């Protein structure tokens, strides 16, 4: 996903839902000299951590904010990314429209989201597995089907979607077929993330 951004020196890049700032350093290295990175998160504790981790990087500005209402001017950024953020927010369509607003013509958004409804796990107790996966899709994740909806929602927000890359990660949690291992297996088996690099449609 970071490679798909196509970052260059001088770019202004947004890391929306930046969390503790894990990728801010990489982004700053890619856009300097002359560029800047704005990390945004709704969790004050995450913002504090991200600020502390990047305090020595003058190109990085970490802000507290809401992706539904970005504290940024129209057409003020060249690149934006979200990574497993839209699955948790109230209105993904509104957030995508906000990102479209703040990107310059020719700007690019790269976003990756899981499809929680495709979560699968193997366990001898099939009914328990089904209960667990339904619980994740219906109660744990707010927008469980966002992975499959992402390209359509981005297009509806005004983006041109040149590519969708489906990825199926999997892992195995060894252990005896007990109740505890049944519940650990779905957490260890992510669903189908869809990475959708999108370019802002140039109105000109």
């Amino acid at each position: 996903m970071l490679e798909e951004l196509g970052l260059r020196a001088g770019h202004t890049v947004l890391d929306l839902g930046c969390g503790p700032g894990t990728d801010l350093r990489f982004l700053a290295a890619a856009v300097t000299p002359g560029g800047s990175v704005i990390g945004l998160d709704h969790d004050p504790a995450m913002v504090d951590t991200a600020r502390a981790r990047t305090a020595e990087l003058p190109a990085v500005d970490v802000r507290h904010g809401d992706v539904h209402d970005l504290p940024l001017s129209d057409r003020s950024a060249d690149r934006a990314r979200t990574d497993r953020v839209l699955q948790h927010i109230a209105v993904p369509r509104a957030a995508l429209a906000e990102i479209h607003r703040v990107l310059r013509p020719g700007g690019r958004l790269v976003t990756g989201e899981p499809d929680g409804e495709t979560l699968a796990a193997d366990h001898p107790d099939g009914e328990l597995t089904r209960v667990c996966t339904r619980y994740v899709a219906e109660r744990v994740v707010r927008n469980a089907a966002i992975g499959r909806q992402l390209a359509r929602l981005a297009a509806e927000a005004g983006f041109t979607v040149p590519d969708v890359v489906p990825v199926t990660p999997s892992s195995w949690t060894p252990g005896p077929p007990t109740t505890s291992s049944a519940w650990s297996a779905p957490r260890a088996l992510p669903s189908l993330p869809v990475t959708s690099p999108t370019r802002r449609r140039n109105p000109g």
Side-chain angles (χ1 to χ4, degrees), residues 165-184:
V165 182
V167 181
T168 307
S170 64
S171 63
W172 175 56
T173 302
T178 63
T179 301
S180 60
S181 66
W183 284 92
S184 65

Side-chain angles (χ1 to χ4, degrees), residues 60-175:
V60 176
D61 177 14
V62 182
R63 305 179 185 180
H64 178 259
D66 183 350
V67 71
H68 297 93
D69 185 19
L70 296 173
L72 299 161
S73 302
D74 294 356
R75 303 186 178 191
S76 57
D78 301 287
R79 299 287 189 268
R81 72 181 288 256
T82 71
D83 184 1
R84 292 162 294 176
V85 171
L86 302 182
Q87 65 177 324
H88 298 299
I89 68 172
V91 189
R93 181 181 284 103
L96 288 165
E98 266 293 274
I99 298 169
H100 187 276
R101 176 185 67 80
V102 302
L103 282 175
R104 297 185 177 109
R108 182 180 299 181
L109 164 67
V110 178
T111 182
E113 296 293 338
D115 186 336
E117 293 183 355
T118 65
L119 178 67
D122 176 49
H123 187 270
D125 187 338
E127 180 56 29
L128 180 61
T129 298
R130 286 187 288 273
V131 169
C132 180
T133 55
R134 284 199 305 269
Y135 176 79
V136 172
E138 296 173 7
R139 303 290 297 275
V140 176
V141 180
R142 176 177 279 178
N143 304 302
I146 187 67
R148 77 187 72 169
Q149 299 168 349
L150 192 53
R152 173 175 56 82
L153 294 177
E156 291 173 355
F159 289 96
T160 299
V161 183
D163 196 17
V164 176
V165 182
V167 181
T168 307
S170 64
S171 63
W172 175 56
T173 302

